Amino acid sequence: MSNIWCCGRASDGQLGVVGNGSVLELNHLNIKGVSGDNVRNICGSKRSTVVLTRDGLLYTAGQVEVLGRPGDNTPPAIVSSLEIFTIKSVACGEDHTVGVTSSGAVCSWGFNSQGQCGHPPPQFVQKPTLLRPLIGVKVIHVSCGARHTLALCEGAEVFSWGDNTFGQLGCNSEQKLCYTPSRVTALDGVPIIQISAGARHNGVLTVSGHLFIWGSNSFGQLGLGDLMRRPTPRLVHLMLSHCIVSVCCGEHHTAVLTAKGAVFTWGDGNYGQLGHANTSQQIVPRQVQELMGDKIDAISSGYNHVIAMSLSREIDDVTAKLYGWGSCSSGQLGVGRVVHNIPTPTLFPDIWTDADFFLGDIYCGGEQTFARFSKQNKSLFCNTRSCDLSEEKFASTLADLEELNDPTQLVTYITRLFGNVANINSLFVPHKVRTKLGEGSGIDMTRLRKTMAQLRTIKHAEYHKAISGMLEHHVIPHLPSDIVTQEQLRVFCILPEFPSLCYPKDFVPQFSQALLELPEQHLKALRNWWSGYEVSFFEALLSVFKRSVYRSLVNRLHDPVENNKRLKNMEKCLKVLALLNEVNSNKEIVPYNAFYIHELTDQLDLEEDYRNWIEHREVVFCKYPFVYTAEAKAKLLKIDANQQMMKTVQSIAVNQFLNRGQISINPFLELKVRRDHLILDTLRQIQEYESRPYLLKKPLKVIFEGEEGYDAGGVKKELFLLLMKELLSPDYGMFSVDPESRFIWFSEFSFEHNSNYHLIGVLCGLAIYNSTIVDINFPPALYKKLLKKSVTLNDFAKLHPVQANTLRQLLAYNEPDFEETMSLTFSVMRDFFGEVEEIEIVPGGREKSVTVENRHEYVKAYVDYYMNKVIEAQYEGFAHGFLYVAGGKVFQAFHSEELMHMVSGMQDFNFKDLESITEYQNGYHPEHPVIKIFWQMFHEMDLGTKKKFLIFLTGSDRIPIHGIHSIKIIIQKVKDNTRLPVAHTCFNVLDLPPYPNKEIMEEKLLTAIMNTEGFGLV
């Protein structure tokens, strides 16, 4: 006995029953030699049925003209002309049939009046005939509308042909029919995995469960909220919050099944086929409420009816339910009578009483229902393109192919996987992963990385050459620009991991060009995806573009045309790096210095690049300063300073000439100060330049009144040290120190005049321009403010870690009693010299409670209050002075932390390098016994003591941003070994007596170090 059951229209013998107009209850469909265990698919039109077996054989019954074989219309008999093929997929239209062989070839037969068989005229194709236009294209699934056909290829491309009266071919053409299969180009790059053709409309699913739909819309069957037909695929936005796993298009309606087992329907409801307990039309998707108590596992749709299967799995038992709704005009719902409509899901009678058999698959013909039972509790029907790239299977296949030592087979396999953009977009998406637009790429990055690591092990030169050609001709030119879904963007995340993108030929510039041509909304989506990358993936992405820039940089060409092309290719990569830098600036995924291209300093003429920048030349690195190292930027700043200083001196010289020498010229910014009036003298002279700020650009020269000596840098350094020591003194109360971070910040209660803040700003600016370190421990937040960057909670945390931790706990607290527990308003309590006052941090803040909904707003306002509002006057004074001197084009090229290092030096360096940069005088040399003892003792010191030594010697425990090799340290011999070592801080000179042994030297040196104040001036 057959285990295939059926009901519905049988007037043409399509159900294997002679003389019956309809089969009103589920009955056996008898096919000689075929059992339910051997059936892969059943499909049909109103007047025919096609059964496909697991062996790849086709059986047909029904309308004689479309059987594809000679003989009677019933019972179902084999299509003998197809026995030489193994058929893998089959579909029926109103009066035509299309099949797919195991090799991906397509054959068709039946009526061809609208080109639905894909052959040129005649109007009728009597026997299965191969479609020649699709030879060479591997098709895996087909679906037929009334008079048109869709085909899904292995590479996820969709082809269509036949009737186009309602735009159902998706080609946006006014042509009413098409005899030749054409690619639906609007879906290029979209990872399609399933297709379904209705009478005059179509639906296709992507790997992430998004639905595209197009064609006739006279009943709202497109689910787009209107009745306008669509000649090109459109995304059904109302279903984006669901992961759809199956789509079925009926005559004028659409049904979908989600991963959670919910069924949604829309379109024509005249026969109750929407299942909403009425016969109304529905122009937007709506869930079938009657099924909400069951998890539906499969659906299928006929012309005007829908069936749904639910399998309830217990430990040792599987209970099946089969629902149906819609038209029962031919008994297709199995209720035992003819009914015009059944608008509510209704259970089919239980006819599977044999415990050894399970309900495996369900199918619909035009006006028929089929159910397959088998002893195996699994589905055999699959109309979904498989795109799951298993790690184990990939590794095993790769190993087998490499063992054959045949690069051709290897290339064929890799090309099948990666030779098509749409396929690439579907490979690394886990099964049934839902990806909301803008939420994430859905890519399993770990699996992607492992797969690419395996590809890197392939050594065949022929393989690399062939795959390079694949990218050049089939992938890079087809990178999407007309984006219809963000799923098309996955290729921009996957290809940078692909080894052949960079070797043996560099395709990164072309890849960059395609990425940069994306519309802004899709670039925004990519930036959002990148912002979620783990550090290792982000670093790998960076390295791809950095390496390409470097390759372009070193491969200078003599041909001007080719060289210009090289420069433009380099800038494309730099522009992508700029996008990544923008992402990193907001998320801090990797350190800012991960963007450095260290080789630039050696390969590039910085002065030439600076001139090109100033002169607005086309390709200059100064436009992308994040790739410059801090040292290179410091050199640029010096170049810029020299240029400005030269202009200043030249301007003065011109004025002198025009005034016939009446104005004397001094090429230096000269400050004459008295030691006992340092602040007053410095402030007075700085103020004299208010009307002539350009004079501050001149090189600084310091003269201490009553003291002789040439300022070669040491006197200047001494002035900065003395001024900062006095200005930062607690006696002035201009700054406060956070006890945890040890950073200093503007005192909100300072009574000092803004001129003193202005002076400190000017001094910091002068220090930058004159390559001098100022030992002032401001946090990075200050430099962000100077660079016009917003200050965030992370910046606040670096300055005030304890307060920031409290704010983060506030953001993390999600209990229902939030308001009661926190009891906060948008105000803060401040102690003004013993008087507590409540200060609003936003207008009306006293009356505005902090809630779960507005707590982020509160934290932002809190940070803004303490980092901006409360110290506004003090900061403005400092900023005006700083930017008065140091502001300019190059200044904006710095990262906030780089700027901090420019002002106050770097703490991270190798103390071992101190020995290599030290010079010796007065009889000392590297091999002198005293010097050997000194360095042995120094290298044995702990880190804290080493830092104290550096403070003792140079006045700071930091080094200039140019690196430790930019400072000069001298150890000179002095005769009196009863004295302590003495440091000439302004000149980095150490007077070291020739102590007789290590013990005495250690005692004397540590005594000197531990008793220094940090400004060891002599």
Side-chain angles (χ1 to χ4, degrees):
M1 179 183 290
S2 168
N3 295 312
I4 305 168
W5 295 71
C6 60
C7 60
R9 182 169 176 169
S11 55
D12 291 278
Q14 58 266 56
L15 298 186
V17 182
V18 179
N20 260 3
S22 297
V23 175
L24 303 180
E25 294 180 341
L26 283 173
N27 204 347
H28 291 289
L29 174 62
N30 292 307
I31 307 173
K32 187 176 180 180
V34 177
S35 69
D37 286 317
N38 195 31
V39 171
R40 180 188 294 274
N41 188 14
I42 304 174
C43 61
S45 64
K46 288 183 179 179
R47 297 188 293 169
S48 65
T49 297
V50 179
V51 178
L52 172 63
T53 70
R54 295 174 68 182
D55 307 322
L57 301 176
L58 276 187
Y59 293 79
T60 59
Q63 184 183 5
V64 174
E65 293 86 349
V66 295
L67 295 180
R69 60 172 174 80
D72 297 332
N73 65 338
T74 196
I78 195 167
V79 181
S80 57
S81 63
L82 289 176
E83 286 185 279
I84 59 172
F85 300 107
T86 300
I87 305 299
K88 291 293 186 182
S89 176
V90 67
C92 292
E94 191 171 273
D95 45 22
H96 75 290
T97 304
V98 182
V100 180
T101 71
S102 57
S103 64
V106 178
C107 57
S108 61
W109 64 95
F111 287 91
N112 192 38
S113 58
Q114 303 294 311
Q116 59 264 50
C117 284
H119 301 292
Q123 304 290 305
F124 181 73
V125 180
Q126 187 170 8
K127 63 180 182 179
T129 305
L130 289 175
L131 269 70
R132 296 193 176 279
L134 287 178
I135 291 176
V137 177
K138 188 169 183 178
V139 175
I140 52 175
H141 295 297
V142 285
S143 185
C144 294
R147 292 186 177 87
H148 76 282
T149 305
L150 292 184
L152 176 61
C153 302
E154 185 180 54
E157 305 102 325
V158 176
F159 283 80
S160 63
W161 59 91
D163 183 19
N164 193 40
T165 306
F166 297 91
Q168 57 263 54
L169 298 189
C171 55
N172 199 24
S173 170
E174 296 299 322
Q175 190 175 350
K176 297 299 181 184
L177 59 87
C178 182
Y179 287 102
T180 305
S182 300
R183 201 173 80 252
V184 182
T185 55
L187 294 174
D188 283 357
V190 181
I192 303 299
I193 60 168
Q194 191 182 121
I195 58 175
S196 177
R200 298 171 186 86
H201 75 291
N202 310 290
V204 298
L205 282 184
T206 71
V207 69
S208 291
H210 296 161
L211 175 65
F212 283 89
I213 204 158
W214 71 94
S216 174
N217 196 29
S218 52
F219 294 90
Q221 58 262 49
L222 301 187
L224 301 175
D226 57 40
L227 299 177
M228 295 172 54
R229 72 181 181 92
R230 301 297 198 282
T232 54
R234 297 298 177 90
L235 190 63
V236 183
H237 286 275
L238 292 174
M239 290 302 297
L240 286 178
S241 59
H242 305 275
C243 176
I244 302 173
V245 294
S246 182
V247 56
C248 300
C249 295
E251 187 171 29
H252 302 299
H253 73 278
T254 304
V256 298
L257 174 65
T258 73
K260 293 184 177 180
V263 177
F264 289 78
T265 58
W266 59 91
D268 182 19
N270 185 52
Y271 295 93
Q273 62 265 53
L274 303 185
H276 301 317
N278 58 51
T279 57
S280 300
Q281 178 177 285
Q282 182 74 33
I283 62 174
V284 294
R286 178 182 170 188
Q287 187 172 356
V288 179
Q289 301 291 323
E290 292 292 327
L291 296 175
M292 289 182 69
D294 292 288
K295 181 183 183 298
I296 302 302
D297 293 276
I299 60 171
S300 186
S301 181
Y303 275 22
N304 294 300
H305 76 289
V306 181
I307 59 173
M309 176 177 70
S310 172
L311 299 177
S312 176
R313 293 176 175 84
E314 302 294 337
I315 297 176
D316 297 316
D317 188 29
V318 177
T319 304
K321 294 180 183 177
L322 183 59
Y323 291 95
W325 63 92
S327 173
C328 194
S329 58
S330 297
Q332 56 263 51
L333 298 183
V335 295
R337 65 187 190 283
V338 171
V339 185
H340 178 266
N341 65 71
I342 298 179
T344 303
T346 302
L347 280 171
F348 278 72
D350 288 337
I351 46 86
W352 42 93
T353 55
D354 192 332
D356 292 331
F357 286 86
F358 301 93
L359 177 58
D361 290 299
I362 55 174
Y363 321 91
C364 282
E367 293 182 1
Q368 302 86 27
T369 296
F370 302 92
R372 181 189 67 83
F373 291 82
S374 72
K375 291 185 177 180
Q376 299 178 29
N377 180 24
K378 66 176 183 179
S379 171
L380 299 178
F381 173 64
C382 179
N383 64 342
T384 301
R385 183 179 68 90
S386 174
C387 52
D388 186 26
L389 187 62
S390 159
E391 287 178 46
E392 295 76 16
K393 184 178 178 181
F394 179 74
S396 172
T397 304
L398 213 58
D400 292 344
L401 291 172
E402 284 201 88
E403 193 173 324
L404 292 173
N405 201 28
D406 183 358
T408 305
Q409 292 190 47
L410 195 58
V411 168
T412 301
Y413 176 63
I414 299 302
T415 301
R416 185 165 63 83
L417 293 174
F418 297 101
N420 171 284
V421 172
N423 213 39
I424 292 172
N425 281 329
S426 62
L427 283 177
F428 300 98
V429 182
H431 185 52
K432 293 184 181 179
V433 165
R434 177 177 62 83
T435 307
K436 286 185 180 179
L437 293 181
E439 190 175 83
S441 69
I443 299 170
D444 184 339
M445 295 298 289
T446 302
R447 183 150 59 99
L448 168 62
R449 177 67 61 83
K450 289 180 179 178
T451 301
M452 296 308 169
Q454 290 170 329
L455 286 180
R456 287 187 178 89
T457 64
I458 301 174
K459 303 301 182 186
H460 293 288
E462 296 91 337
Y463 161 82
H464 290 291
K465 184 178 179 181
I467 296 303
S468 184
M470 174 199 79
L471 284 174
E472 185 170 12
H473 300 294
H474 300 292
V475 178
I476 299 295
H478 300 288
L479 288 172
S481 55
D482 297 327
I483 306 294
V484 292
T485 171
Q486 288 180 5
E487 289 189 77
Q488 290 169 281
L489 299 176
R490 289 193 186 110
V491 68
F492 291 104
C493 296
I494 294 171
L495 273 189
E497 295 280 339
F498 197 62
S500 301
L501 187 69
C502 309
Y503 173 83
K505 188 173 179 180
D506 187 4
F507 294 107
V508 177
Q510 296 95 310
F511 175 83
S512 300
Q513 179 68 34
L515 190 152
L516 294 167
E517 288 176 351
L518 291 170
E520 174 53 33
Q521 68 186 96
H522 300 303
L523 276 176
K524 183 179 179 181
L526 263 184
R527 290 195 293 267
N528 184 44
W529 292 359
W530 290 335
S531 70
Y533 272 23
E534 294 178 9
V535 172
S536 63
F537 295 114
F538 199 85
E539 287 176 336
L541 186 62
L542 273 184
S543 67
V544 168
F545 298 99
K546 285 168 60 179
R547 285 199 304 267
S548 185
V549 169
Y550 176 69
R551 280 192 293 268
S552 295
L553 186 66
V554 297
N555 293 329
R556 293 183 174 87
L557 303 168
H558 297 295
D559 183 343
V561 175
E562 288 299 315
N563 199 53
N564 187 53
K565 182 180 177 182
R566 174 187 70 88
L567 291 172
K568 288 185 175 180
N569 282 342
M570 189 162 57
E571 186 159 42
K572 291 170 187 175
C573 298
L574 287 168
K575 286 180 176 178
V576 176
L577 283 170
L579 293 176
L580 292 168
N581 183 58
E582 178 189 339
V583 170
N584 195 60
S585 297
N586 295 327
K587 295 287 288 186
E588 298 182 15
I589 305 167
V590 296
Y592 64 89
N593 55 18
F595 284 82
Y596 290 170
I597 301 177
H598 293 274
E599 297 85 356
L600 285 182
T601 309
D602 300 325
Q603 295 290 333
L604 206 63
D605 184 331
L606 291 177
E607 288 198 38
E608 181 184 0
D609 195 55
Y610 173 83
R611 285 194 301 272
N612 289 339
W613 184 39
I614 297 300
E615 294 168 10
H616 304 288
R617 299 279 179 85
E618 208 168 317
V619 182
V620 289
F621 282 87
C622 284
K623 291 196 297 187
Y624 310 96
F626 48 84
V627 298
Y628 274 133
T629 63
E631 184 178 355
K633 288 178 191 173
K635 289 179 181 177
L636 276 175
L637 194 67
K638 198 166 187 177
I639 292 168
D640 184 59
N642 290 337
Q643 290 291 320
Q644 294 193 49
M645 289 174 184
M646 283 177 61
K647 287 180 182 179
T648 300
V649 172
Q650 289 169 0
S651 175
I652 294 171
V654 170
N655 283 334
Q656 183 182 28
F657 175 78
L658 293 175
N659 288 278
R660 299 181 182 179
Q662 294 176 7
I663 299 177
S664 62
I665 181 170
N666 185 345
F668 296 99
L669 169 62
E670 197 171 272
L671 294 180
K672 294 181 180 179
V673 295
R674 296 166 292 174
R675 285 190 179 272
D676 53 350
H677 295 85
L678 283 179
I679 293 179
L680 181 64
D681 290 351
T682 305
L683 187 58
R684 174 178 50 78
Q685 292 176 78
I686 292 295
Q687 287 173 339
E688 289 176 2
Y689 296 109
E690 285 287 347
S691 60
R692 297 174 295 166
Y694 57 86
L695 294 177
L696 293 172
K697 306 291 185 183
K698 293 193 295 180
L700 178 62
K701 181 180 179 182
V702 174
I703 299 172
F704 283 103
E705 193 171 289
E707 301 178 19
E708 293 184 5
Y710 175 71
D711 185 5
V715 181
K716 177 170 52 184
K717 179 179 177 183
E718 182 179 4
L719 176 66
F720 282 115
L721 290 172
L722 291 172
L723 281 171
M724 287 301 171
K725 180 178 181 181
E726 192 164 343
L727 287 168
L728 299 180
S729 167
D731 296 339
Y732 276 80
M734 294 174 64
F735 297 94
S736 58
V737 180
D738 185 276
E740 297 295 327
S741 70
R742 306 307 301 167
F743 281 123
I744 70 169
W745 195 240
F746 303 96
S747 174
E748 51 203 274
F749 303 121
S750 173
F751 294 105
E752 285 297 316
H753 194 272
N754 274 3
S755 59
N756 280 351
Y757 287 106
H758 181 270
L759 175 58
I760 293 180
V762 168
L763 290 173
C764 289
L766 287 174
I768 285 182
Y769 259 94
N770 290 273
S771 303
T772 302
I773 289 179
V774 177
D775 194 14
I776 185 166
N777 198 25
F778 283 128
L782 173 66
Y783 302 98
K784 284 190 74 173
K785 285 166 69 69
L786 290 169
L787 291 167
K788 310 298 183 191
K789 308 278 187 186
S790 298
V791 179
T792 65
L793 177 59
N794 288 338
D795 301 311
F796 182 75
K798 291 174 184 176
L799 175 59
H800 297 306
V802 174
Q803 289 171 260
N805 187 52
T806 301
L807 293 175
R808 284 172 172 156
Q809 288 176 357
L810 173 78
L811 294 175
Y813 192 82
N814 292 311
E815 298 301 320
D817 62 348
F818 179 88
E819 289 186 53
E820 181 182 341
T821 300
M822 298 301 171
S823 189
L824 292 171
T825 62
F826 278 70
S827 61
V828 293
M829 306 304 292
R830 307 304 311 280
D831 186 337
F832 290 97
F833 305 101
E835 292 189 14
V836 178
E837 185 177 344
E838 185 178 7
I839 306 295
E840 293 181 336
I841 59 176
V842 298
R846 290 186 184 90
E847 310 303 323
K848 186 174 181 179
S849 297
V850 179
T851 65
V852 171
E853 291 73 24
N854 67 18
R855 57 183 169 178
H856 286 277
E857 180 191 348
Y858 169 77
V859 169
K860 185 176 181 180
Y862 187 97
V863 170
D864 180 57
Y865 176 76
Y866 280 102
M867 300 298 286
N868 298 316
K869 291 179 179 177
V870 79
I871 49 94
E872 184 175 7
Q874 297 90 316
Y875 168 75
E876 288 300 328
F878 175 90
H880 183 267
F882 185 94
L883 299 173
Y884 185 64
V885 181
K889 205 169 182 180
V890 175
F891 173 78
Q892 295 297 326
F894 282 86
H895 186 275
S896 57
E897 292 193 25
E898 292 172 329
L899 197 56
M900 180 175 72
H901 296 151
M902 280 290 294
V903 173
S904 53
M906 298 190 300
Q907 288 183 312
D908 296 328
F909 60 93
N910 191 345
F911 274 95
K912 291 181 179 179
D913 292 335
L914 278 179
E915 183 176 359
S916 66
I917 64 163
T918 300
E919 298 178 6
Y920 306 94
Q921 292 181 357
N922 298 345
Y924 280 152
H925 53 80
E927 299 301 318
H928 194 287
V930 172
I931 296 302
K932 285 190 168 185
I933 290 172
F934 171 82
W935 286 117
Q936 180 187 355
M937 182 187 68
F938 177 80
H939 293 314
E940 289 173 357
M941 291 178 181
D942 60 46
L943 181 61
T945 307
K946 287 177 181 176
K947 287 190 173 185
K948 281 186 175 291
F949 170 77
L950 199 59
I951 293 172
F952 168 69
L953 179 60
T954 69
S956 173
D957 63 354
R958 303 170 186 237
I959 63 168
I961 198 169
H962 301 278
I964 199 165
H965 295 280
S966 66
I967 63 176
K968 183 179 179 181
I969 292 176
I970 296 174
I971 300 179
Q972 63 184 11
K973 185 178 181 180
V974 291
K975 294 181 180 179
D976 189 357
N977 60 12
T978 63
R979 294 175 53 192
L980 294 175
V982 175
H984 300 270
T985 308
C986 298
F987 301 95
N988 303 336
V989 174
L990 176 67
D991 289 346
L992 182 66
Y995 299 117
N997 55 54
K998 181 181 176 184
E999 290 73 20
I1000 294 175
M1001 181 184 290
E1002 187 171 15
E1003 178 192 349
K1004 298 282 188 181
L1005 185 59
L1006 289 177
T1007 301
I1009 290 173
M1010 296 305 173
N1011 285 282
T1012 184
E1013 295 180 1
F1015 298 90
L1017 304 173
V1018 177

